[in-house]
Amino acid sequence: NHILEGDNNSTLMEIIRDEGLDIEAACGGCCACATCHVYIDDNWIDKIEPIWAASLETYLLEKSKHYNEKLSRLACQIEIKNEYNGLIVNLIKETS
Ligand code: FES
């Protein structure tokens, strides 16, 4: 387990990547690769802002063999806010 800190201008992917953890994030955060796929903890998923524009992030996630309809998100599409303090996320080994 890792405890990460980041500021409100970051995305979850950037915080994970900048900590040197194993997240590929091949497209650099422009919602094109799905290698920043994470599972949001069950107790947190409803507190995270829903997928923007609904379609592209879901489309990418659905192509993953690890897709979990309830818990899957792309970490680069989650912007960190104060309310997310304590957020629990599980990394998934996803290759592009
Ligand atoms: Fe590519 Fe998130 S880093 S979709």
Side-chain angles (χ1 to χ4, degrees), residues 13 24-37 60 74-77:
M13 178 279 279
E24 186 180 340
C27 78
C30 51
C31 202
C33 70
T35 59
C36 65
H37 186 181
L60 287 171
L74 294 179
C76 72
Q77 299 307 310

Side-chain angles (χ1 to χ4, degrees), residues 36-82:
C36 65
H37 186 181
V38 294
Y39 292 155
I40 305 296
D41 185 82
D42 216 17
N43 294 317
W44 275 94
I45 191 71
D46 295 333
K47 301 179 185 134
I48 301 293
E49 238 169 52
I51 289 175
W52 66 274
S55 57
L56 183 55
E57 185 179 352
T58 307
Y59 169 77
L60 287 171
L61 287 168
E62 280 174 350
K63 290 200 295 189
S64 166
K65 59 179 182 288
H66 303 296
Y67 178 58
N68 178 307
E69 195 177 342
K70 177 142 192 265
L71 304 180
S72 285
R73 289 296 307 268
L74 294 179
C76 72
Q77 299 307 310
I78 297 174
E79 287 186 8
I80 292 303
K81 319 161 163 218
N82 290 340

Side-chain angles (χ1 to χ4, degrees), residues 11 17 24 46 86 92:
T11 66
R17 182 195 59 193
E24 186 180 340
D46 295 333
I92 299 164

